[in-house]
Amino acid sequence: MRELKAELLSILTAMPGSKSPHAEAERILLRVLSVARPELDTFGKLYLLDPVPTSLERKQALDLAQARASGVPLQHLLGEQTFLDRDYAVNPSTLIPRPETEVLFISCAEWISKRKPGDRLRFGELGLGSGVLSCELLVRFSSASGVASEASPAAIELAQSNLSRWCGVDWSSRLTILPVSADQAFEVLLPHAPFDLIISNPPYVARGDEIEPEVARHEPESALFPWNDDPDFFYVDFVTKASRLMAPGGAAFFEIPHERADRIEAEFQKSGAKQVCLIPDLTGRPRVLRAEF
Ligand SMILES: C[S@@+](CC[C@H](N)C(=O)[O-])C[C@H]1O[C@@H](n2cnc3c(N)ncnc32)[C@H](O)[C@@H]1O
């Protein structure tokens, strides 16, 4: 297996912009070898056992590394991404969940944990995507129920399969998915208001922002850019409707671009929130905005 890892590494390190070839080689080996050996759930165990790959496993691993080296995200090749401690199905219909979005969820979970235990938590999400945020809310907080909007029918299908996997077959008794068109925003949540919690990682990339070629090629435009190319569209729209969306004592959590954090924070000062604050991501840059009502 060590020889195969070395072969994978030489393919992956030759890839332009290669960032974590070791971790990616190990993920490929774990996937390929664990098909036949499900007990090999961590790479540490794999190293200890040092299994001899079959010729089929070797071919599968090399094919995956070649496809990865051509620029396809490993998550699309493996069909999954870990978010917090669960593996979620992913595909090109929506954004691959990011570590920054884990910060968004954790900030929100900390706020929920300070509420009175068992208090009803009615939430709304804009931009369900693969379903990671709504799904984590349902799994971790039994008092949570809500609605989530999404503009891509293929992303809705993906989220439904993730919700069925992690939240049980009757997840739809706790979450209503609202299929919308890309030019709709918080007005679709208004009939379901008031909310104790709004959470969203909306499309927020500005045209002209530098984005990695791999992201531009493999992740959908509609998950990155707002439909009208106004990068602050969803934030401003929330601010204009916040007083009708939020229940007293509720809070809204948004993922935001750190480059425009100050401007977006200033916009939220007009929302009627009692307190607005910015929360840093793992690199120390402002990435989450919390507004308390
Ligand atoms: C940045 S992704 C976030 C996905 C997921 N919540 C996450 O955090 O990984 C934004 C999502 O919003 C969806 N979207 C785009 N325009 C929308 C709109 N007007 N209303 C609701 N969802 C929209 C996209 O299809 C995409 O799935």
Side-chain angles (χ1 to χ4, degrees), residues 203-255:
Y204 61 68
V205 182
R207 298 279 171 192
D209 275 2
E210 209 179 298
I211 51 173
E212 291 178 18
E214 185 175 313
V215 175
R217 242 192 330 258
H218 293 281
E219 301 201 61
E221 279 220 349
S222 53
L224 301 170
F225 306 97
W227 64 282
N228 57 0
D229 284 347
D230 171 359
D232 294 336
F233 171 68
F234 291 104
Y235 306 119
V236 173
D237 186 75
F238 172 80
V239 166
T240 62
K241 300 183 175 80
S243 62
R244 289 177 287 153
L245 284 165
M246 300 306 304
F253 290 79
F254 283 84
E255 186 168 319

Side-chain angles (χ1 to χ4, degrees), residues 86-161:
R86 266 172 274 276
D87 290 335
Y88 283 89
V90 296
N91 64 32
S93 68
T94 187
L95 202 79
I96 297 166
R98 303 289 206 274
E100 293 87 332
T101 310
E102 294 183 333
V103 177
L104 170 67
F105 184 82
I106 291 166
S107 313
C108 161
E110 280 171 1
W111 176 82
I112 297 171
S113 306
K114 288 186 196 133
R115 300 175 84 235
K116 225 164 68 228
D119 263 10
R120 186 195 86 130
L121 181 79
R122 182 92 189 126
F123 73 87
E125 180 183 3
L126 182 144
L128 176 68
S130 56
V132 287
L133 293 170
S134 284
C135 194
E136 290 291 325
L137 283 170
L138 295 183
V139 174
R140 288 166 192 258
F141 300 101
S142 57
S143 58
S145 64
V147 298
S149 69
E150 172 54 56
S152 154
I156 291 179
E157 221 174 279
L158 177 70
Q160 285 169 329
S161 83

